[in-house]
Amino acid sequence: MDPAGHIAALDREGAALVTAAERAGLLTPVPSCPAWQVRDLLRHLGYVHRWAAGYVGQQLGDEVPELTEAEQLAGGPPDSELLDWFRAGHAALTQTLESAAPDVACWTFLPAPTPLAFWARRQAHETAIHRADAALAAGQDPVYPPALAADGIDELLLAFFGRDGSDQDGASPDGARPDGASGASGPGRRLRFRTTDTGHQWCARISADSGRTEFTGRGPGRGPAADCEVAGPASSLYRLLWKRTGSGPGDITISGSEQLLLDWQAGIQLVWA
């Protein structure tokens, strides 16, 4: 996907999130974000959208201090104005990205061809995953376009988990990082995620000594034998990897050592604030 595709996804997913939030109600608990209500989700993501727009719109070259989770959730307007406030921040971010020069220079925290490509992609998936939170609160089972979901899997596995563990903390309000405790044993055990609709796969070797996971890349075909393969539609794998499954999805198949998958999942930390 290119920046234009990511910006379109950001626009679409933000609108879908508002619809789900309205259906759920502001005081409804968010099952995938313990201790949050829908209003907390809106305050958090409304802050993140404004935070991201500031880097691109002001062309900030250095990281600026972030609000803590408590500060984010205490901020924003009263509940009666919260949905309109969220819509305004989402629209401003979308417009900022649409109007930015292709070579805009600003701070980023993941590898990308350009800063604009980074921020468009990151905020598209930031919003898409939180749309799942709102949908789950509303009792819905979110489904994503296969291309967007596959791209999100790629970002999570190759960009987030491809970073050196030394720079994981404090990189963004949301993200993923390894805890360094995969629990896997054996020399270089292999874990593979495969999309059954887009035909992509991501392979990892989990080292026996440090538990470090090294994803080798995305490509077609089945590749070498894996100790565990997790396969399913891209939308379902996307939700599984971001731990937004709710009561599903039920269309994932696991071949080989399911314990390897469980150990790997136990050794990663997904944060939303």
Side-chain angles (χ1 to χ4, degrees):
M1 294 179 67
D2 60 11
H6 286 125
I7 294 169
L10 165 65
D11 185 46
R12 180 180 65 247
E13 293 296 326
L17 188 151
V18 168
T19 298
E22 289 179 313
R23 176 171 177 170
L26 295 181
L27 301 184
T28 301
V30 179
S32 45
C33 298
W36 278 17
Q37 295 176 326
V38 169
R39 62 182 177 182
D40 300 314
L41 175 63
L42 292 170
R43 286 192 170 92
H44 164 70
L45 189 55
Y47 162 75
V48 172
H49 284 168
R50 289 163 170 83
W51 174 83
Y55 282 105
V56 179
Q58 301 174 46
Q59 300 185 42
L60 300 176
D62 297 314
E63 183 180 8
V64 298
E66 303 161 12
L67 296 182
T68 65
E69 177 185 343
E71 290 170 334
Q72 293 173 35
L73 301 188
D79 286 358
S80 60
E81 302 171 16
L82 191 55
L83 282 166
D84 286 341
W85 176 82
F86 176 86
R87 289 189 186 98
H90 171 245
L93 172 61
T94 302
Q95 177 59 35
T96 296
L97 293 171
E98 286 178 336
S99 61
D103 60 350
V104 64
C106 61
W107 179 78
T108 64
F109 59 86
L110 291 177
T114 65
L116 179 60
F118 162 76
W119 283 109
R121 186 189 206 194
R122 178 81 292 276
Q123 290 308 300
H125 293 297
E126 177 90 7
T127 305
I129 287 300
H130 282 313
R131 194 259 286 189
D133 295 325
L136 292 169
Q140 299 172 322
D141 193 32
V143 177
Y144 297 95
L148 176 67
D151 183 76
I153 297 169
D154 197 70
E155 184 204 39
L156 179 64
L157 298 183
L158 298 188
F160 275 109
F161 294 137
R163 292 187 295 166
D164 188 310
S166 64
D167 69 357
Q168 297 288 337
D169 293 329
S172 74
D174 282 32
R177 55 179 172 257
D179 279 347
S182 74
S185 60
R189 303 196 70 191
R190 294 183 182 274
L191 173 64
R192 177 166 59 234
F193 297 100
R194 181 170 59 86
T195 56
T196 54
D197 48 357
T198 68
H200 292 102
Q201 66 175 8
W202 296 261
C203 300
R205 180 184 293 274
I206 303 175
S207 64
D209 51 352
S210 66
R212 179 175 176 81
T213 304
E214 297 178 353
F215 281 91
T216 57
R218 170 185 178 182
R222 296 185 60 85
D227 297 284
C228 176
E229 179 182 270
V230 186
S235 178
S236 298
L237 278 179
Y238 184 45
R239 290 176 55 196
L240 175 71
L241 287 168
W242 274 105
K243 301 182 180 179
R244 261 68 176 192
T245 55
S247 60
D251 50 4
I252 296 290
T253 60
I254 301 173
S255 304
S257 173
E258 183 174 358
Q259 189 61 48
L260 179 60
L261 171 66
L262 296 175
D263 288 341
W264 178 76
Q265 287 185 307
I268 60 175
Q269 181 182 5
L270 301 180
V271 293
W272 50 82

